[in-house]
Amino acid sequence: MIGPDVAGIAEKLGAAADSATAIGQLAAETGLDSDTAYTVQAALVQRRLDRGERLVGLKMGLTSRAKMAQVGVDEVIWGRLTDVMRVPDGGTVDTGDFIHPRVEPEVAFLLDRLPEPGEPVGSFTRAVRAVAPAIELIDSRYANFTFSLPDVIADNTSAAAFAIGPWSPVPDGLDNLGVLLEIDGRVAQVGSTAAILGDPRRALDEGLRLAGRHGVRLRKGWVFLAGAATAAVPLRPGAHVRAVVEKLGSASLKALP
Ligand code: OOG
Ligand code: MG
């Protein structure tokens, strides 16, 4: 049997992102499974690298029940981040560059000395140099923000942009910090870092394990997004967004009017 057309699916997803135009889901009709979807994701991100973007990190997705429930997919997934997706803290995005952008509060890790493939993280404070509050802007390339597990994996887990607040040394506990997402100064979502796999540090173990299965090694100096603690909220033109994580401070971005 001939498998799914990996290059063709990656091209469709890439063109959808470039033109900010939604497409229909592809996995069911092409017989795409999750493993092959990661191959599509690699090809989709390679398309960005071919035009000069640089890999700067990894993101986890669906590490909280709130996120799983919002999109109806209940497996932890991971995606790739490039330099062009990074927005300066307090910076501006244009909602017109996206299809139906949503924002969500995240915790970011700055990676340091990572274990060899197959080894557990062991010392978190050796593997992670600093932590920061962050905002992820996700933008599914599928119509109505609706997808199956292989669809969202192929679509680089809806990755579109991210902003990172000030880095701090790793605090003693990361497992029960309050998380807020504010839009125009009003609280839109409330949560706790405990929602992220019980402790966001676990997201790193999962990232190493799951990415390792596909031969991807995390690098010193990379950013790692542990996954949102709350559901995501639509980003409207003109909105001011702030994500606050207790003890870590806040990250912000605004959307052009
Ligand atoms: C998939 C990406 C999920 C997270 O933090 O859980 C994600 C989506 O919700 O479209 O980034
Ligand atoms: Mg996210």
Side-chain angles (χ1 to χ4, degrees):
M1 198 189 104
I2 305 170
D5 173 13
V6 167
I9 299 172
E11 185 52 40
K12 273 192 188 149
L13 284 163
D18 291 346
S19 62
T21 311
I23 55 173
Q25 294 180 49
L26 300 159
E29 114 197 0
T30 57
L32 190 66
D33 62 19
S34 297
D35 268 342
T36 316
Y38 277 111
T39 316
V40 174
Q41 182 191 119
L44 175 63
V45 174
Q46 187 59 47
R47 209 174 158 274
R48 286 174 168 268
L49 305 184
D50 289 345
R51 60 189 188 207
E53 297 184 31
R54 265 185 327 109
L55 268 186
V56 295
L58 214 86
K59 60 159 284 189
M60 300 307 287
L62 313 183
T63 48
S64 68
R65 299 298 323 166
K67 283 290 308 178
M68 287 178 172
Q70 184 176 33
V71 297
V73 173
D74 58 3
E75 272 194 54
V76 173
I77 55 179
W78 59 275
R80 294 155 160 105
L81 301 172
T82 76
D83 58 341
V84 166
M85 298 178 188
R86 185 151 178 184
V87 178
D89 186 24
T92 305
V93 296
D94 185 346
T95 53
D97 291 343
F98 307 102
I99 300 165
H100 34 209
R102 292 179 178 177
V103 282
E104 53 188 24
E106 297 259 353
V107 178
F109 301 154
L110 181 59
L111 300 182
D112 197 349
R113 285 195 287 154
L114 293 152
E116 291 300 310
E119 284 181 12
V121 174
S123 165
F124 184 80
T125 45
R126 202 163 65 175
V128 172
R129 196 185 321 160
V131 298
I135 297 171
E136 188 182 19
L137 187 162
I138 51 171
D139 190 36
S140 175
R141 268 53 69 165
Y142 302 110
N144 306 315
F145 227 109
T146 304
F147 42 71
S148 66
L149 174 65
D151 276 312
V152 68
I153 292 169
D155 186 25
N156 196 21
T157 65
S158 311
F162 62 98
I164 299 184
W167 293 108
S168 312
V170 181
D172 278 346
L174 267 181
D175 56 328
N176 196 13
L177 305 179
V179 175
L180 285 182
L181 182 69
E182 288 176 8
I183 310 282
D184 297 331
R186 274 189 288 272
V187 175
Q189 291 286 334
V190 188
S192 160
T193 56
I196 306 162
L197 298 175
D199 183 332
R201 286 178 291 200
R202 260 187 220 129
L204 184 59
D205 293 297
E206 283 298 286
L208 283 164
R209 191 175 66 79
L210 295 174
R213 272 196 208 161
H214 294 271
V216 173
R217 284 190 70 173
L218 279 58
R219 308 265 166 205
K220 184 173 177 164
W222 272 15
V223 163
F224 182 91
L225 297 180
T230 74
V233 172
L235 178 67
R236 311 272 181 225
H240 284 56
V241 183
R242 201 162 80 102
V244 187
V245 182
E246 188 185 343
K247 285 193 194 169
L248 303 184
S250 65
S252 68
L253 60 77
K254 29 188 194 296
L256 280 179

